[in-house]
Amino acid sequence: MKSVEIIGYKRANLGKADAKALRLESLVPCVLYGTGEQIHFSVPMILFRELAYSPVAYLADLNIEGKKYRAILQDVQFHAVNDMLMHADFLALQDDKPVRTEIPVKLEGTAVGVTKGGKLTPKLRKLKIEALPANLPDFISVDITDLDLGKTIKVSAVKPENYKILNVGAVPLVSIEIPRALKTAQKEGK
């Protein structure tokens, strides 16, 4: 899995007023869990470009005032109106302890149903998985070349490699919808 370096600075004060002041300085209040104690720190907002605003999953190499941690972005909170990053939670990784996270789904190939005039509709953009940090994939690839009109690929069709999928197997992952014009043409043809 790819990684991004994030440089942070420990926070002296905690609370709403301090967090608001940090945001006015274009800093994001953050917390690191899983190290035995919670570490409160702030990070320049610009460093989150790849980590929070990208469809790809990344590991974070945190450098908090010279002390380094390998972590994963656990939770992010955005402003309700302008999509500004308000807060981020990181989880420190341990090589022998499995971690739960969401990994993006990458659709591979051109579906047969699309060439016949159908509309490709992704239902899930990310899958929840559990894996050791060394086994975390960049993305989960799903081959859609055999997907025909009106058909669906479910989560159970994905074969995990060194990780466990936590989503329910019956949940649709991607489907090919038949457009209304194509439905009427099929009815008139019969």
Side-chain angles (χ1 to χ4, degrees):
M1 181 177 259
K2 297 176 188 171
S3 62
V4 175
E5 185 176 17
I6 303 286
I7 299 168
Y9 310 96
K10 285 192 177 178
R11 292 170 52 188
N13 303 321
L14 304 176
K16 279 186 181 180
D18 184 57
K20 188 174 183 178
L22 287 171
R23 289 186 200 107
L24 288 173
E25 295 175 22
S26 294
L27 296 171
V28 179
C30 303
V31 180
L32 176 65
Y33 300 100
T35 59
E37 70 203 47
Q38 295 179 4
I39 300 172
H40 297 271
F41 62 102
S42 61
V43 173
M45 207 170 286
I46 192 94
L47 296 179
F48 276 96
R49 190 177 320 136
E50 283 183 279
L51 196 59
Y53 296 104
S54 169
V56 181
Y58 288 99
L59 292 177
D61 291 326
L62 296 177
N63 182 347
I64 304 171
E65 296 182 358
K67 199 161 182 190
K68 300 193 182 232
Y69 303 93
R70 192 143 179 94
I72 194 160
L73 187 62
Q74 192 71 14
D75 187 34
V76 211
Q77 295 171 3
F78 293 98
H79 190 277
V81 177
N82 61 15
D83 282 342
M84 185 175 90
L85 197 57
M86 300 294 285
H87 183 82
D89 288 340
F90 290 91
L91 177 65
L93 297 177
Q94 298 170 9
D95 292 335
D96 59 340
K97 190 174 179 185
V99 63
R100 290 180 177 200
T101 188
E102 290 186 338
I103 300 293
V105 173
K106 184 177 180 184
L107 304 177
E108 303 276 344
T110 303
V112 174
V114 171
T115 59
K116 292 180 181 177
K119 180 182 175 191
L120 181 71
T121 309
K123 303 289 185 179
L124 286 178
R125 300 215 184 270
K126 293 184 176 186
L127 285 176
K128 294 176 188 168
I129 70 163
E130 181 178 69
L132 291 172
N135 296 334
L136 287 172
D138 290 336
F139 56 84
I140 297 172
S141 181
V142 177
D143 184 24
I144 60 168
T145 50
D146 296 332
L147 196 57
D148 208 349
L149 290 170
K151 301 296 179 188
T152 301
I153 294 177
K154 296 185 178 176
V155 172
S156 59
V158 178
K159 301 298 177 229
E161 302 168 15
N162 299 325
Y163 56 85
K164 183 172 143 185
I165 297 176
L166 302 176
N167 295 73
V168 177
V171 173
L173 192 58
V174 61
S175 64
I176 302 288
E177 294 180 2
I178 305 171
R180 192 178 316 152
L182 196 57
K183 284 181 185 176
T184 55
Q186 286 177 345
K187 287 180 183 176
E188 290 173 359
K190 289 184 179 180

